[in-house]
Amino acid sequence: MAEPAEVVAAFVAAFVAAWPSRDAATVASFFSEDAIYCNGPLDPVTGREAIQATVAAFMDMGGEAGADILHTVADGPIVMTERVDHFIKADTTISLPVMGIFEVHDGVITAWRDYFDLNQFASQLPNAT
């Protein structure tokens, strides 16, 4: 069975690869049935199907996604990533520093929490004032 850090690395790669084709099912396959996803200030999402729907809604924005992993720290089932996420669409690139915490049990992600500055994200949106 893959180590938790390997699961998270594979998940990030699959997320980036799945974005252009909007393949949220592949992304969701990394999660347990009862996983919890907390995306910054947004309400938590519980369950693989709900996570898939949430990721699909993000993917519907189109464009491409990328992530530069700056640091990964693993301690047993806990994997922390310091990264910069990139969302690229037409002539706009939004780059957002993110601290992510993943809990991995039995080869699947049971919890995913991302922390970021929502104002920093919003200020990069086209037509932001």
Side-chain angles (χ1 to χ4, degrees), residues 83-87 94-98 116-117 120-121 124:
R83 62 185 202 270
V84 179
D85 290 354
H86 305 284
F87 305 97
I94 296 173
S95 296
L96 184 67
V98 177
F116 59 90
D117 182 342
Q120 187 176 16
F121 176 80
Q124 296 180 68

Side-chain angles (χ1 to χ4, degrees), residues 1-127:
M1 183 175 302
E3 292 293 318
E6 294 169 327
V7 171
V8 170
F11 164 73
V12 171
F15 187 94
V16 169
W19 188 281
S21 63
R22 296 173 177 77
D23 183 6
T26 294
V27 173
S29 72
F30 282 84
F31 292 89
S32 67
E33 287 292 334
D34 59 349
I36 299 171
Y37 170 39
C38 300
N39 188 25
L42 303 177
D43 289 335
V45 177
T46 302
R48 182 186 294 153
E49 287 184 22
I51 292 170
Q52 180 174 336
T54 300
V55 170
F58 293 150
M59 290 176 163
D60 283 345
M61 294 186 299
E64 298 177 38
D68 295 329
I69 305 293
L70 305 176
H71 297 97
T72 301
V73 177
D75 184 12
I78 306 299
V79 180
M80 300 173 72
T81 61
E82 178 187 13
R83 62 185 202 270
V84 179
D85 290 354
H86 305 284
F87 305 97
I88 304 117
K89 186 172 180 182
D91 293 333
T92 302
T93 297
I94 296 173
S95 296
L96 184 67
V98 177
M99 181 68 206
I101 300 173
F102 299 84
E103 296 180 36
V104 180
H105 297 275
D106 298 323
V108 292
I109 298 168
T110 58
W112 173 23
R113 296 179 298 279
D114 274 347
Y115 300 93
F116 59 90
D117 182 342
L118 184 58
N119 289 327
Q120 187 176 16
F121 176 80
S123 71
Q124 296 180 68
L125 293 171
N127 302 321

